[in-house]
């Protein structure tokens, strides 16, 4: 693959990435399932002739029989996955959904239509290699071809969250505004599908139920699939195991609409612990108002669920979530703030977050899964390098990003702390030339950068000015001072 100027060339052994660089995905667009015989024939032909490593069936389904029929393909063939839309989507949205789910950058799309004589016509075309710039343009084009209406879209990704979904969906339904809940079931194996289907049957005009047959394993995938369906002028996110206070959410939305802001941030949230205790974290999101580009100068939480966004941000930027297991929300939050023209903070705490729930992202981050936080970082970096605004601020972004790695370290058991630091050090070496800043160093920066032997590049300051802090950082990383 040709590297774009300025891109970091990570080795595969370092990144652990074996899925997205080689192989091909065939995206089968099924917007007319009445053509069942033709679809069967085309599918068998694709299996025999395409050479694709992955086949995705992206469908507008009419009834449960349609879904059962397509699920048989997924069960029979390991390389086949599917997305089921119970609300009809345009061909452009179906194609975007398939591209977000695809494991490979090399992609083709196949569709079946009826010609003028009533015969079937199979169309197949190669798509541009799915790099971040291509993804950005697709995001903008997909949304721009859909008529915008005033209202709120809440994107709710769900995977094996059946015990918590009722609280989540009930709280969102209680928002007294024109709204759509885009609930994306990412291959759940528990009762999640049934819970969503039950709510959707009671509120068909509100709930857009989308299912991925086999779990993607990535929080970015259901969120990106949800983003492709936004038709309202505002949107937000709720994790399926969390819930919101509807009244405070409406207050934040009203303030956002009154001021014409692109992002409204709640200044706090409530954290609920496994032992049933809770704590209210207030004034923890200190982002300069009306200066979106200075978002990284404040106390910046990367969480996406404490904010309401304008759809215009996506149309300007093509922002989306990188395919990583952790910190994909940091990338999206930074991206959104860089393209917001006005931001406000609202003194509410509408979000209720279940902290360290067993099986949650935070829980997985506290064990051996934390190493994916490092090995997948190149995917996030590719996004920063693809966007001119973020590339210009890359040094600041990366310095701030290290706070996330430090947070991961706090979650790790003692036996994994030093191995994590070693892998982190190796990952940072190719990034030396990006850490250039005229700001005074602090202990965290020194610990994560200067101790890795890049102190002269990290700060335009004489080395003697912070040699003591550099030694402190080296000790923190387990190196000799």
């Amino acid at each position: 693959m040709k590297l774009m100027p300025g891109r970091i060339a990570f080795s595969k052994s370092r990144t652990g990435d074996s899925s997205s660089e080689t192989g091909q995905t065939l995206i089968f667009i099924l917007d007319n399932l009445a053509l069942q015989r033709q679809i069967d024939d085309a599918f068998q032909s694709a299996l025999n002739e395409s050479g694709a490593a992955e086949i995705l069936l992206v469908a507008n389904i009419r009834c449960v029989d349609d879904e059962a029929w397509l699920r048989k393909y997924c069960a029979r063939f390991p390389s086949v996955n599917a997305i089921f839309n119970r609300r009809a989507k345009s061909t452009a949205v179906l194609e975007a959904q398939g591209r977000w789910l695809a494991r490979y950058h090399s992609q083709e799309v196949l569709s079946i239509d009826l010609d003028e004589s009533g015969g079937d016509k199979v169309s197949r075309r190669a798509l541009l290699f799915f790099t971040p710039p291509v993804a950005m343009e697709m995001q903008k084009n997909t949304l721009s071809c859909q008529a915008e209406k005033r209202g709120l879209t809440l994107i709710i990704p769900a995977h094996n969250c059946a015990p918590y979904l009722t609280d989540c969906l009930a709280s969102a339904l209680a928002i007294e505004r024109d709204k759509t809940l885009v609930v994306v079931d990412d291959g759940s194996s528990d009762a999640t599908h049934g819970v969503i289907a039950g709510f959707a049957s009671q509120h068909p005009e509100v709930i857009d139920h989308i299912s991925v047959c086999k779990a993607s394993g990535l929080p970015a995938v259901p969120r990106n699939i949800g983003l492709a369906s936004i038709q309202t002028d505002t949107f937000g996110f709720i994790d399926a195991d969390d819930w919101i206070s509807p009244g405070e959410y409406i207050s934040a939305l009203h303030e956002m609409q009154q001021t014409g802001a692109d992002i409204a941030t709640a200044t706090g949230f409530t954290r609920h612990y496994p032992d049933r205790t809770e704590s209210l974290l207030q004034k923890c999101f200190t982002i300069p108002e009306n200066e979106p580009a200075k978002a990284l100068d404040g106390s910046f939480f990367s969480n996406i669920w404490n904010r309401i966004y304008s759809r215009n941000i996506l149309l300007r930027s093509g922002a989306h979530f990188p395919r990583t297991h952790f910190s994909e929300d940091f990338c999206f939050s930074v991206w959104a703030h860089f393209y917001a023209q006005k931001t406000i903070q609202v003194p509410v705490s509408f979000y209720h977050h279940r902290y360290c729930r067993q099986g949650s992202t935070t829980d997985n981050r506290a064990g051996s899964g934390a190493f994916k936080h490092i090995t997948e970082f190149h995917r996030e970096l590719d996004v920063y390098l693809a966007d001119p605004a973020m590339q210009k601020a890359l040094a600041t972004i990366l310095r701030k990003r290290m706070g996330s790695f430090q947070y991961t370290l706090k979650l790790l058991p003692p036996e994994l702390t030093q191995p994590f630091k070693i892998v982190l050090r190796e990952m940072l070496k190719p990034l030396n030339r990006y850490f250039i800043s005229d700001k005074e160093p602090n202990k965290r920066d020194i610990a994560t950068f200067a101790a890795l032997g890049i102190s002269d590049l990290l700060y335009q300051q004489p080395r003697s000015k912070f040699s003591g802090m550099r030694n402190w950082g080296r000790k923190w990383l387990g190196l000799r001072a």
Side-chain angles (χ1 to χ4, degrees):
M1 182 176 67
K2 185 177 180 181
L3 299 180
M4 64 175 289
R7 177 177 171 178
I8 300 297
F10 289 92
S11 68
K12 285 190 178 181
S13 61
R14 180 171 293 149
T15 64
D17 180 31
S18 59
S19 62
S20 55
E21 303 295 342
T22 59
Q24 184 181 67
T25 296
L26 179 63
I27 302 170
F28 204 157
I29 303 297
L30 305 175
D31 57 352
N32 185 1
L33 290 182
L35 303 173
Q36 187 166 337
R37 179 187 58 79
Q38 295 91 331
I39 291 170
D40 279 330
D41 291 344
F43 179 77
Q44 291 298 330
S45 177
L47 280 175
N48 296 331
E49 301 172 11
S50 71
E54 176 185 49
I55 297 177
L56 303 180
L57 310 175
V58 189
N60 288 326
I61 63 172
R62 305 163 297 174
C63 59
V64 293
D65 289 341
D66 285 344
E67 182 173 343
W69 166 49
L70 294 177
R71 282 188 182 274
K72 289 180 181 178
Y73 283 131
C74 297
R76 184 178 176 186
F77 303 100
S79 62
V80 176
N81 201 354
I83 301 175
F84 308 122
N85 289 275
R86 292 158 187 83
R87 279 191 184 182
K89 305 292 193 303
S90 68
T91 300
V93 172
L94 296 179
E95 183 177 306
Q97 289 180 344
R99 301 203 78 177
W100 291 129
L101 178 60
R103 292 186 294 124
Y104 302 100
H105 291 324
S106 178
Q107 301 167 1
E108 286 189 319
V109 65
L110 186 150
S111 60
I112 299 177
D113 299 301
L114 294 176
D115 59 26
E116 294 180 355
S117 63
D120 54 281
K121 179 178 65 175
V122 179
S123 303
R124 185 167 176 170
R125 58 187 170 87
L127 300 172
L128 291 174
F129 204 68
F130 202 49
T131 58
V134 172
M136 291 155 59
E137 286 304 307
M138 183 194 74
Q139 182 82 300
K140 290 185 279 189
N141 293 337
T142 302
L143 293 171
S144 63
C145 71
Q146 302 178 68
E148 182 178 285
K149 59 184 180 181
R150 188 172 177 84
L152 171 69
T153 295
L154 287 170
I155 298 170
I156 305 174
H159 176 72
N160 291 347
C161 286
Y164 314 102
L165 256 177
T166 296
D167 289 343
C168 174
L169 296 177
S171 70
L173 286 167
I175 296 176
E176 296 179 348
R177 290 289 188 276
D178 290 336
K179 58 186 176 294
T180 299
L181 311 186
V182 180
V183 190
V184 185
D185 177 11
D186 189 19
S188 295
S189 57
D190 67 352
T192 292
H193 174 85
V195 175
I196 301 171
F199 273 89
S201 66
Q202 297 175 45
H203 306 277
E205 74 288 352
V206 176
I207 295 181
D208 181 4
H209 182 189
I210 303 171
S211 296
V212 178
C213 185
K214 297 175 182 176
S216 69
L218 295 169
V221 169
R223 285 173 175 163
N224 284 333
I225 289 174
L227 287 176
S229 300
I230 295 175
Q231 294 182 310
T232 57
D233 58 346
T234 59
F235 68 96
F237 301 91
I238 310 178
D239 287 347
D241 54 348
D242 298 336
W243 72 98
I244 59 171
S245 296
E248 290 190 282
Y249 203 98
I250 291 172
S251 296
L253 179 61
H254 177 75
E255 188 71 17
M256 177 182 180
Q257 292 171 336
Q258 289 295 107
T259 59
D262 284 322
I263 300 176
T265 298
T267 56
F269 70 100
T270 303
R271 181 177 281 173
H272 297 263
Y273 299 93
D275 62 1
R276 298 180 181 272
T277 60
E278 62 184 59
S279 61
L280 176 61
L281 284 73
Q282 293 180 304
K283 298 181 179 179
C284 49
F285 303 100
T286 55
I287 297 173
E289 288 195 6
N290 300 324
E291 296 183 275
K294 293 184 178 181
L296 291 172
D297 292 340
S299 175
F300 185 82
F301 266 51
S302 63
N303 305 349
I304 55 172
W305 33 249
N306 65 300
R307 298 186 170 93
I308 307 174
Y309 302 88
S310 166
R311 184 174 181 263
N312 287 331
I313 290 174
L314 302 179
L315 293 170
R316 295 182 200 125
S317 64
H320 56 271
F321 294 88
R323 290 178 62 89
T324 59
H325 286 83
F326 304 108
S327 297
E328 78 292 335
D329 49 357
F330 175 92
C331 181
F332 183 87
S333 284
V334 170
W335 208 342
H337 278 86
F338 273 35
Y339 282 86
Q341 294 178 351
K342 182 177 183 179
T343 62
I344 61 170
Q345 294 185 74
V346 185
V348 295
S349 301
F350 58 68
Y351 201 83
H352 297 264
H353 174 55
R354 296 185 199 271
Y355 186 69
C356 275
R357 174 185 63 81
Q358 186 175 5
S360 67
T361 300
T362 303
D363 183 52
N364 293 332
R365 191 173 180 172
S368 58
F371 289 88
K372 290 180 180 177
H373 197 192
I374 299 174
T375 58
E376 296 174 341
F377 182 66
H378 69 291
R379 298 177 186 171
E380 184 182 339
L381 182 64
D382 283 348
V383 172
Y384 299 140
L385 292 172
D387 183 271
M390 290 198 291
Q391 187 176 34
K392 189 178 295 185
L394 189 58
T396 304
I397 291 173
L398 293 178
R399 287 178 62 200
K400 201 73 175 181
R401 181 66 173 76
M402 291 306 110
S404 180
F405 289 124
Q406 189 179 44
Y407 175 66
T408 299
L409 271 169
K410 292 179 180 179
L411 297 174
L412 289 175
E415 66 272 15
L416 292 180
T417 299
Q418 193 58 26
F420 185 86
K421 290 178 180 179
I422 292 171
V423 177
L424 175 63
R425 185 169 67 244
E426 288 301 306
M427 184 275 288
L428 288 174
K429 283 181 179 178
L431 305 179
N432 292 6
R433 58 195 165 102
Y434 289 102
F435 297 108
I436 302 173
S437 171
D438 58 359
K439 294 184 177 180
E440 289 289 332
N442 59 49
K443 282 192 172 184
R444 187 180 70 187
D445 294 333
I446 295 299
T448 50
F449 298 127
L452 301 174
I454 58 174
S455 53
D456 291 330
L457 291 172
L458 180 55
Y459 301 103
Q460 296 174 346
Q461 304 282 354
R463 175 179 254 177
S464 60
K465 191 165 184 176
F466 57 91
S467 60
M469 296 180 73
R470 180 170 62 88
N471 290 338
W472 179 92
R474 290 181 64 82
K475 183 178 180 181
W476 182 82
L477 278 170
L479 305 174
R480 291 186 178 181

